Amino acid sequence: MLVSYSFRLIEAGKGPTAREKAERLEKVLLTAPQVDCPVREYFAPGIYAREITLPAGTVLVGAVHKMANLAILSKGRLILATDNGPIEISAPYTLTVKPGAKNAATALEDSVWTNFLPNPTDEKDPEKLAEMFTESKACELLGGSKNAQLLANKSMELEA
C-alpha cells in the first residue's frame, strides 16, 4: 500500500497543527506494512540518547516528547512536517524538539536521527526512560511488545 499525504503550509492559528496531522497520518500508516527501523540507546553521565535508523522511503511518526530536547540528523535527508509546513533537512542538521510535538517525517535517503535528553539520575531502564521523556510507554515505542506497528505487522501475517 502506498500512502500519499501532504503537509500544506498553514496560516498561524488556522487549520490542524502538525501534531494533529501526524496523529491522522499515524492512523493511516498502521494499515500499511511496517518497516524495520533499528533503535539504539546510548548513555553518558547525565545524558540519554535514542537513535533510530530510517531506510529511504520510510514514513515515520514519532512519540510525543514531554520536554524540549536536541535532535540530530547525522545521516541522510528527511522531509519533516512542522506547524509552518514541510521542510527538507539534510545531515548534518540539529534542531530543538518542542515539548508536546509529534513529529512526522519521510526519509528521502537512508537516515539516522538521534534525540538527546537530560538524564540526571543516569536511568537506564527503558520503561522508566520512556515514561520520563514521552507520553508513551516503552512497550509502545519501536521495538516494544505493544508497539502499534509491530502489532499491525503480526495482524497482517495472521490474515495472510
Side-chain angles (χ1 to χ4, degrees):
M1 170 195 263
L2 177 62
V3 177
S4 175
Y5 69 97
S6 171
F7 286 99
R8 293 173 292 138
L9 186 63
I10 58 175
E11 295 178 45
K14 294 185 180 182
T17 64
R19 179 176 174 166
E20 292 165 335
K21 289 181 180 184
E23 288 168 346
R24 286 196 315 239
L25 174 62
E26 186 172 46
K27 287 178 184 173
V28 171
L29 291 175
L30 289 175
T31 66
Q34 302 300 301
V35 176
D36 182 33
C37 298
V39 174
R40 285 164 300 288
E41 295 176 301
Y42 302 96
F43 300 90
I47 301 172
Y48 166 59
R50 189 167 193 275
E51 176 186 272
I52 183 169
T53 299
L54 306 169
T58 301
V59 178
L60 176 85
V61 178
V64 176
H65 291 260
K66 291 180 180 178
M67 63 179 63
N69 65 89
L70 289 178
I72 296 176
L73 178 66
S74 57
K75 176 185 175 183
R77 272 184 325 126
L78 301 174
I79 294 178
L80 185 63
T82 73
D83 281 331
N84 296 319
I87 60 169
E88 184 175 323
I89 60 174
S90 298
Y93 191 90
T94 303
L95 67 144
T96 300
V97 176
K98 296 177 185 175
K102 186 166 183 75
N103 295 311
T106 300
L108 301 174
E109 300 173 356
D110 289 347
S111 300
V112 176
W113 175 278
T114 309
N115 290 88
F116 293 87
L117 298 132
N119 188 5
T121 62
D122 291 325
E123 182 61 61
K124 292 191 174 150
D125 181 293
E127 283 291 332
K128 290 179 182 173
L129 289 166
E131 291 181 20
M132 284 169 54
F133 300 123
T134 72
E135 293 181 8
S136 302
K137 295 183 190 270
C139 63
E140 298 167 341
L141 299 175
L142 282 173
S145 62
K146 293 185 181 175
N147 173 257
Q149 293 91 343
L150 175 67
L151 294 175
N153 275 353
K154 286 182 180 178
S155 175
M156 284 182 213
E157 288 172 9
L158 292 175
E159 292 173 6

